[in-house]
Amino acid sequence: MPEGQFCNKRPVNTDEELKALLGDTGGQKYYQEMKALEVDTALLWSTIQKTMKSRIKTWLSICAHCGMCADSCFIYRVSNRNPKQVPAYKIQSTLGEIVRRKGKVDNAFMHMAMETAWAKCTCCNRCGMYCPHGIDMGVMFGYLRGLLYQQGFVPWEMKIGAGMHRVYRAQMDVPNEEFVDTFQWMVEENQEEYPRLEVPVDKEGADILYTVNAREVKHYPEDLAEAAILFHIAGEDWTVTSEGWELTSLAMFAGDWEACKMQVTSVYGAMERLKPKRMVGTECGHAHRATVVEGPYWAGRKDGQTPVPSIHYVEWLAEALRTGKLKIDPEKRIKVPVTIQDSCNYIRNHGLKEVTREIISYIVEPGYFRDMSPNREHNYCCGGGGGFNGIGLYRRQRNEALKTKRDQILATGAELVLAPCHNCWDAIRDLIEEYEVPVKWSFLKPLILKMAVVPEHLKPRE
Amino acid sequence: MFKNILFATSATEASDHAARVAFNLARQYGAAVTVFHVLGVPTRGYSQVVVDVRTKESVQVDDEYRAWVVEEIKNQHGGEMKKAPQAVVEVCVGYPHREILRAVREKKPDLVVMGGTTGGDSVYKKALAGTTLQKVAKAAPCPVLAVAREAASFWGGFSSIVFGADFSKASDAAFDFSLKMAREAQCELHLFHAVDVGATLMGKIMDQDTIEGQIRESLNRIRGRYVAKMGDFKNYTMEVWEGIPSIEIVKFARERNADLIVMAHHARQADLEDSPMGSTMEQVIMRAGCPVISVNRLPKA
């Protein structure tokens, strides 16, 4: 059975394997090997029989092929309304076909299915809102990705990402010690301006356990500093954990179900060990979906809940502004036309649309906020969700997909885009670069920090 | 004085003059040098694509590419690097200011040397306000020496040091450093302050009595805050002028044939973003005819 050195059905479980896979620049050899990768049809069919439950079976069989989902899909719309981009077609021609053929599909079919699953769907779930039957193609593509991953037909970066979670319990190669050390470094760097700033590590029974995205640690730790300073100014009793601190899940994007469980179990372990009153996660959309919305099911938690109540950063921020823990200097409110990117993963899929508007009511001078059209739960994906941003093989398709968001942003006339989600933030940066769009974009933390009132007793003496 | 120098280079012409100073200092003090270059910005989320800071191209960074960049750096600074054959070249991926600060934290150099700004089209500019130099100078625990101009000549020894005073806590650390340098090099130390009659007054004109009053007061503050700490060190002058501080200090340094300017750079993050022309320190670096060292804090005991 031709299993490649890099492209095979085995997950990446060690640091050596990770480094070797990373060493295959751009996945050149990986994709070459994929051309010869055999499909284990027996395994594929037995997996489907074990894991495909009544919901997906029903959805596949009741689809009326009415085409109502077509216009709901932003990729269909930017693809000159190509019928092959209609969500129902995309899922029926891949997952539907695998089921109809009882798993007897070949290498060429799996290549097509891989491209469809990762380059034609971002799992934004918008189609599910417009289907008269409520069929959610995004959910089914998430399932299909699992089948593809098991067979080794997964984009190179996704296999690496899932491997990172397996080896490091983080989406990047950030060991636990480095996380703690980086957070402490950021705090030290800001102690002149905020003299009693600290990062309590592994404190039991704190009001808040704060979890992050490993990229903050690796590339822009200023984000950690900003989080610490805002908790400090708000007078919160908070902590971070030295183990289980990563909120995100590239394993979810990759369809590596086993790694998904490993990852969220590490976070839940921290919750159980430290017993905080609740968990607050950073400004990340898919991370919230993974750890808060879907994770409890991956971990087999019968109540479908995280061990302690868990909220998105925007929920904490809105609450802190509402209760006056954080006060905004009215003079410093945003006074340029500004819009907000509604992240699919916690707006459409977790109902937080009014929370972000509440934040805007505190930080934007009245008259300057311009909503995108459509917006809230009807908003389009940023163009880079579901792993699309990270996959070099599908860069061209991703850049095409960015046009929807580009045009939405331009239509608002906004000069600043608030993007409280890492994926959206990346996609918006890339569309600004790719299409030379003259706007700025930002997470919420750095903006809030510039306009928050620092209580007198927390200011430096000099 | 300097045993461990971190030379952070953009690997472009903007760092050539800094290279000369870094290696001249290394030769004079017998210091170890790490040539440190952040080759690109990590981009597109968790993808392995990096935008190379010099070529502006999207590249896949692997060992081969790193090795190529190291060779490029050796080509760029080859002539200067001969002065310190033990120098090590290191390259990494990330946002330059953050990676430089990370390297400073790990290697604990006693001096960071940097070049001038690489200009407004830098690939980093878009995501983060302020220049790399501003950010490094603000947060570094050690002195940061910057050289932007070819005219900023420095061939080894120090004979005349100008300390630009602003009477802040950070400025105290800059003074301590100036005095230590001057004692060590047995050279002149010029204590200087400029009364700001320009930009910060929003067009208001100060009357001459007020200006002269402030000059007298500043001289008294120099005596009380700095001269009082100098003990037996006598080879100093003190002077207060009025004008735009960054211009006055450059003029003063030229007049005293200074080969080093020392000052504090303690702008807040918000200040960095709101001043597109940069801080006083950046203005001085851009204009000065000698290297400029920024010192913000006393070395940790």
Side-chain angles (χ1 to χ4, degrees):
Chain A
M1 180 173 287
E3 292 261 312
Q5 179 196 354
F6 298 125
C7 186
N8 48 51
K9 297 179 179 60
R10 298 185 304 275
V12 171
N13 275 318
T14 67
D15 199 34
E16 294 71 45
E17 290 169 332
L18 253 183
K19 289 207 170 74
L21 189 55
L22 275 164
D24 176 28
T25 307
Q28 286 172 10
K29 189 164 179 225
Y30 177 87
Y31 288 121
Q32 200 60 39
E33 289 174 355
M34 192 183 280
K35 288 180 185 161
L37 187 63
E38 259 179 36
V39 184
D40 184 342
T41 54
L43 175 67
L44 182 56
W45 183 235
S46 70
T47 303
I48 290 172
Q49 285 176 307
K50 275 186 251 163
T51 59
M52 198 172 85
K53 303 282 168 60
S54 54
R55 181 172 67 160
I56 291 182
K57 280 186 200 162
T58 309
W59 277 348
L60 281 177
S61 64
I62 65 169
C63 172
H65 304 256
C66 68
M68 292 283 280
C69 55
D71 266 320
S72 73
C73 178
F74 75 104
I75 300 181
Y76 168 78
R77 293 165 64 97
V78 295
S79 308
N80 203 20
R81 292 185 156 74
N82 181 345
K84 289 192 169 174
Q85 289 282 7
V86 174
Y89 176 83
K90 287 187 275 196
I91 199 66
Q92 288 291 345
S93 62
T94 52
L95 179 62
E97 196 59 19
I98 294 174
V99 173
R100 276 188 288 280
R101 294 194 205 171
K102 295 190 169 25
K104 293 199 176 66
V105 292
D106 59 11
N107 179 292
F109 182 95
M110 293 297 262
H111 268 88
M112 178 278 290
M114 178 175 86
E115 182 173 354
T116 311
W118 276 282
K120 295 181 179 177
C121 177
T122 62
C123 301
C124 79
N125 306 85
R126 193 169 187 270
C127 50
M129 280 189 27
Y130 291 84
C131 171
H133 290 320
I135 300 171
D136 193 327
M137 270 62 74
V139 169
M140 287 198 279
F141 270 111
Y143 176 72
L144 174 63
R145 287 180 179 196
L147 300 177
L148 292 166
Y149 178 87
Q150 186 193 39
Q151 296 286 334
F153 290 89
V154 55
W156 179 66
E157 292 87 348
M158 294 289 98
K159 180 141 184 175
I160 293 170
M164 288 288 179
H165 286 288
R166 286 171 173 269
V167 177
Y168 288 97
R169 297 295 184 274
Q171 63 159 275
M172 301 187 92
D173 48 350
V174 179
N176 291 335
E177 305 75 46
E178 190 178 324
F179 164 69
V180 173
D181 186 54
T182 305
F183 224 131
Q184 278 166 343
W185 171 31
M186 284 301 100
V187 163
E188 282 164 26
E189 209 177 272
N190 285 277
Q191 277 172 336
E192 280 172 22
E193 268 180 65
Y194 304 94
R196 282 181 299 284
L197 184 68
E198 57 172 9
V199 50
V201 181
D202 289 333
K203 179 180 173 184
E204 286 182 26
D207 288 345
I208 290 171
L209 168 66
Y210 182 59
T211 53
V212 310
N213 180 325
R215 285 177 52 214
E216 296 165 2
V217 187
K218 188 92 173 171
H219 289 314
Y220 32 92
E222 286 84 353
D223 200 289
L224 306 179
E226 289 154 5
I229 294 166
L230 288 170
F231 284 144
H232 176 66
I233 296 175
E236 290 286 17
D237 169 24
W238 67 292
T239 189
V240 295
T241 170
S242 60
E243 198 181 335
W245 45 268
E246 167 70 282
L247 188 70
T248 75
S249 180
L250 297 189
M252 176 173 79
F253 290 162
D256 183 349
W257 299 333
E258 193 179 37
C260 283
K261 182 175 176 179
M262 287 175 180
Q263 181 58 46
V264 295
T265 308
S266 77
V267 184
Y268 299 164
M271 293 182 190
E272 278 156 357
R273 185 165 49 88
L274 300 177
K275 300 178 182 61
K277 290 205 178 64
R278 55 186 179 163
M279 191 271 283
V280 176
T282 188
E283 294 176 66
C284 190
H286 93 275
H288 183 78
R289 176 172 177 168
T291 305
V292 180
V293 184
E294 301 207 20
Y297 300 100
W298 300 339
R301 296 184 62 84
K302 293 217 163 30
D303 60 358
Q305 302 292 319
T306 51
V308 300
S310 300
I311 59 175
H312 192 273
Y313 198 79
V314 295
E315 292 178 277
W316 175 77
L317 196 53
E319 177 195 282
L321 292 165
R322 190 187 313 132
T323 55
K325 280 181 179 172
L326 279 181
K327 291 190 177 62
I328 298 296
D329 180 347
E331 290 296 310
K332 294 182 180 166
R333 284 196 293 224
I334 298 169
K335 294 187 188 66
V336 295
V338 56
T339 189
I340 189 163
Q341 162 62 8
D342 288 307
S343 158
C344 308
N345 280 324
Y346 64 89
I347 302 292
R348 175 157 45 253
N349 292 322
H350 210 214
L352 301 183
K353 59 187 177 185
E354 297 310 330
V355 174
T356 48
R357 266 75 192 168
E358 186 183 355
I359 294 169
I360 284 162
S361 75
Y362 290 103
I363 67 170
V364 178
E365 186 79 0
Y368 286 93
F369 179 65
R370 318 272 167 87
D371 232 328
M372 289 186 203
S373 175
N375 57 55
R376 297 178 168 82
E377 69 270 36
H378 297 283
N379 195 15
Y380 291 116
C381 169
C382 58
F388 212 1
N389 269 339
I391 304 172
L393 185 64
Y394 304 137
R395 174 72 56 237
R396 183 185 56 75
Q397 293 96 315
R398 200 288 311 253
N399 285 350
E400 277 298 302
L402 293 177
K403 286 179 179 170
T404 307
K405 191 54 59 188
R406 174 198 67 186
D407 295 344
Q408 269 189 295
I409 291 171
L410 286 173
T412 65
E415 293 170 25
L416 172 66
V417 186
L418 308 176
C421 166
H422 275 270
N423 243 314
C424 301
W425 187 92
D426 275 323
I428 293 167
R429 177 186 67 182
D430 281 5
L431 73 87
I432 288 171
E433 196 176 283
E434 182 71 22
Y435 298 109
E436 297 181 359
V437 179
V439 297
K440 291 185 172 173
W441 81 115
S442 179
F443 289 116
L444 287 168
K445 292 185 202 93
L447 297 173
I448 303 283
L449 196 53
K450 272 199 275 187
M451 54 182 107
V453 177
V454 180
E456 278 306 318
H457 70 282
L458 296 180
K459 288 182 180 168
R461 290 247 164 78
E462 196 194 34
Chain B
M1 190 81 200
F2 303 119
K3 292 288 162 220
N4 182 8
I5 294 174
L6 184 89
F7 167 43
T9 175
S10 58
T12 61
E13 284 176 12
S15 291
D16 281 353
H17 314 307
R20 193 186 68 236
V21 174
F23 286 101
N24 283 345
L25 278 172
R27 187 167 55 184
Q28 190 193 344
Y29 290 98
V33 185
T34 306
V35 180
F36 187 75
H37 174 61
V38 184
L39 69 86
V41 196
T43 184
R44 278 115 200 175
Y46 27 84
S47 83
Q48 303 301 320
V49 177
V50 164
V51 179
D52 187 298
V53 62
R54 293 169 311 128
T55 62
K56 311 277 194 293
E57 283 171 9
S58 294
V59 294
Q60 296 269 353
V61 175
D62 54 15
D63 290 344
E64 200 182 326
Y65 193 80
R66 283 172 200 270
W68 177 73
V69 175
V70 168
E71 281 310 305
E72 287 283 294
I73 291 168
K74 287 179 178 167
N75 288 340
Q76 182 78 31
H77 299 312
E80 297 300 333
M81 284 178 73
K82 288 191 189 117
K83 296 172 190 164
Q86 306 303 319
V88 183
V89 181
E90 286 186 19
V91 297
C92 75
V93 167
Y95 288 93
H97 74 285
R98 185 45 60 199
E99 297 313 314
I100 293 167
L101 288 167
R102 205 190 297 268
V104 168
R105 193 161 188 257
E106 277 166 24
K107 299 175 193 304
K108 301 187 171 41
D110 37 36
L111 184 71
V112 174
V113 178
M114 295 178 70
T117 175
T118 46
D121 64 340
S122 156
V123 284
Y124 307 111
K125 273 274 184 187
K126 296 174 201 160
L128 296 156
T131 64
T132 301
L133 179 61
Q134 281 177 323
K135 293 196 179 77
V136 173
K138 176 179 184 285
C142 65
V144 176
L145 182 149
V147 194
R149 296 180 64 206
E150 189 176 11
S153 62
F154 172 79
W155 302 106
F158 295 109
S159 59
S160 171
I161 297 172
V162 167
F163 161 59
D166 69 7
F167 310 116
S168 64
K169 196 175 155 191
S171 195
D172 288 349
F175 167 76
D176 285 1
F177 179 83
S178 311
L179 181 60
K180 194 176 164 204
M181 292 272 320
R183 277 187 196 279
E184 185 135 331
Q186 298 183 335
C187 71
E188 297 163 14
L189 176 60
H190 306 286
L191 312 175
F192 179 78
H193 176 73
V195 172
D196 188 355
V197 298
T200 61
L201 299 173
M202 315 291 275
K204 266 197 294 183
I205 309 254
M206 261 181 172
D207 69 61
Q208 198 57 25
D209 285 349
T210 311
I211 290 173
E212 285 173 14
Q214 288 196 11
I215 288 175
R216 277 193 300 277
E217 188 197 323
S218 299
L219 279 167
N220 281 334
R221 291 179 81 181
I222 289 178
R223 278 189 204 97
R225 194 154 180 151
Y226 307 121
V227 175
K229 285 197 238 166
M230 286 170 44
D232 58 355
F233 187 85
K234 298 294 175 213
N235 194 8
Y236 74 94
T237 67
M238 54 180 190
E239 194 103 17
V240 178
W241 292 358
E242 70 273 37
I244 299 165
S246 57
I247 303 281
E248 295 308 315
I249 192 166
V250 171
K251 277 158 61 181
F252 179 76
R254 192 169 59 220
E255 193 194 277
R256 298 298 160 106
N257 295 318
D259 34 36
L260 184 67
I261 297 173
V262 182
M263 52 195 294
H265 175 62
H266 47 89
R268 294 186 64 238
Q269 190 62 31
D271 302 335
L272 301 184
E273 290 168 26
D274 296 338
S275 55
M277 288 298 286
S279 57
T280 296
M281 190 197 73
E282 283 209 299
Q283 287 289 309
V284 173
I285 289 166
M286 267 163 35
R287 295 164 191 279
C290 64
V292 179
I293 289 192
S294 153
V295 184
N296 287 334
R297 40 191 73 82
L298 299 168
K300 279 189 181 162

